[in-house]
Amino acid sequence: MGQFAVIGLGRFGSASSLELMRLGHSVIGVDINAKIVNQIADQLTFAAIADATDEHALKDLNITTCDAVLVAIGESLEASILCVLLLKNMHIKEIWVKATSKPHHTILSRIGVSRIIHPEEEMGVRVAQSLNYPMVNQYMSIGQNLYLVEIKISEKCQGTSIEKLLIGVKDSIDPLLVRRKNDIFKLIELSFVLEAGDSLVLAGSLNALKKIAPRLL
Ligand code: ATP
C-alpha cells in the first residue's frame, strides 16, 4: 500500500485521490476550500483545509513520508509554483504536477519535477488513439517506446493462434496474459488459440503494435 498526498481537490485532484483510494492506497487530500474538503473528507484517509502556499501549513500536514505528492492546483499558476517550491524545500522527491498552460509547463520543467501532467491533452490523445484502434481497451506507456496494451479479441480472430497474430513481429511483442471470462491464463505460449471476447495483454514497441492492429479488426 502506498501513501500519497493530493493538493488541490478540484475535478482532477478529487478523481485522482478517489482512484488511489480505490486501488488500496492511503491518501491525504488538501484544499484551501473548506466546502470542497468537507465534501470528500470521509472518502479519503485524511483531508485537510490548508493553503498549500503556506510553508507552516504544508509542514503541519506530515506529507514528507509520502511516496509521491500530486499538485493539482490548476488555475493559479502562482499557487501551483509556490507549492512545488515548498515541497522541493521539504525534500519531497516524487512530485507530480498538473500544468494548465505552456508557461506553467516551462516553469515546472525548469524547477524540475518528476512528472508534468496535461490532463486535457493526454485525454485527447488517448481518445484519438482509441478511436483509431477501437479494439484496444487500455494502453500504457512504460517508457523507451514500449507499451502495454489490452486488446479485445473480435469475432474475426476467433480460433487464431497468438503465433499467427504476431507473424513478422514476434521479436518485438511479448504476449503476457489472456483473460477469458473469469479465467486468467499467464505465461501463454505462441500456440495459444484465442476466442472472441478474450482480453489479450501484450507488451511491445509502438511500431510493432501498429503493424498488428489491422489484423485485429
Ligand atoms: P479542476 O479542473 O481539477 O477542477 P482547475 O484546473 O479548474 O481544477 P482550480 O479549480 O483552480 O483548478 O484548482 C483546483 C483546486 O485547488 C481547487 O479545489 C482549489 O480550491 C484548490 N486550490 C487552489 N489554490 C490552493 C492553495 N493555495 N492551496 C490549496 N488548494 C488550493
Side-chain angles (χ1 to χ4, degrees):
M1 182 173 100
Q3 198 192 346
F4 300 94
V6 177
I7 298 176
L9 298 170
R11 283 167 305 168
F12 179 77
S14 57
S16 307
S17 43
L18 292 175
E19 184 62 9
L20 283 167
M21 290 294 295
R22 198 188 64 79
L23 293 168
H25 302 295
S26 141
V27 179
I28 300 172
V30 184
D31 202 288
I32 199 168
N33 184 325
K35 200 170 153 205
I36 287 179
V37 173
N38 291 334
Q39 269 167 3
I40 199 170
D42 57 356
Q43 297 170 73
L44 303 181
T45 315
F46 180 72
I49 304 159
D51 179 357
T53 63
D54 176 337
E55 190 171 4
H56 298 292
L58 214 49
K59 280 189 174 152
D60 283 347
L61 293 169
N62 282 328
I63 55 173
T64 45
T65 52
C66 284
D67 297 298
V69 177
L70 171 62
V71 179
I73 300 172
E75 293 300 303
S76 169
L77 175 76
E78 195 181 315
S80 166
I81 301 296
L82 197 49
C83 172
V84 170
L85 287 171
L86 293 174
L87 294 172
K88 288 202 75 110
N89 273 346
M90 288 162 69
H91 305 292
I92 292 172
K93 293 264 171 329
E94 198 66 22
I95 306 175
W96 289 36
V97 191
K98 170 183 155 173
T100 45
S101 66
K102 244 194 153 135
H104 196 173
H105 183 109
T106 308
I107 299 169
L108 289 170
S109 52
R110 292 271 160 84
I111 299 173
V113 293
S114 311
R115 179 150 172 205
I116 304 172
I117 307 148
H118 294 270
E120 282 83 8
E121 282 89 337
E122 288 180 22
M123 186 47 80
V125 170
R126 272 173 186 267
V127 169
Q129 286 176 342
S130 303
L131 288 170
N132 198 17
Y133 303 115
M135 61 289 166
V136 174
N137 277 350
Q138 307 256 18
Y139 75 92
M140 188 173 95
S141 164
I142 49 175
Q144 299 186 330
N145 195 32
L146 278 177
Y147 285 78
L148 278 182
V149 293
E150 182 194 339
I151 292 158
K152 192 87 176 162
I153 297 302
S154 64
E155 289 290 340
K156 196 191 109 184
C157 293
Q158 164 76 31
T160 306
S161 68
I162 291 186
E163 178 154 39
K164 194 168 168 205
L165 193 69
L166 299 185
I167 283 174
V169 288
K170 261 180 269 172
D171 295 338
S172 317
I173 297 183
D174 291 308
L176 299 182
L177 59 86
V178 170
R179 195 179 68 227
R180 179 172 296 163
K181 297 197 177 110
N182 292 329
D183 296 320
I184 304 241
F185 301 93
K186 295 177 195 161
L187 301 171
I188 39 174
E189 305 280 340
L190 287 174
S191 56
F192 189 97
V193 176
L194 296 162
E195 287 183 7
D198 284 351
S199 284
L200 168 65
V201 179
L202 302 171
S205 73
L206 193 57
N207 277 347
L209 291 165
K210 274 184 181 163
K211 266 191 204 148
I212 64 160
R215 297 176 199 165
L216 296 159
L217 287 169

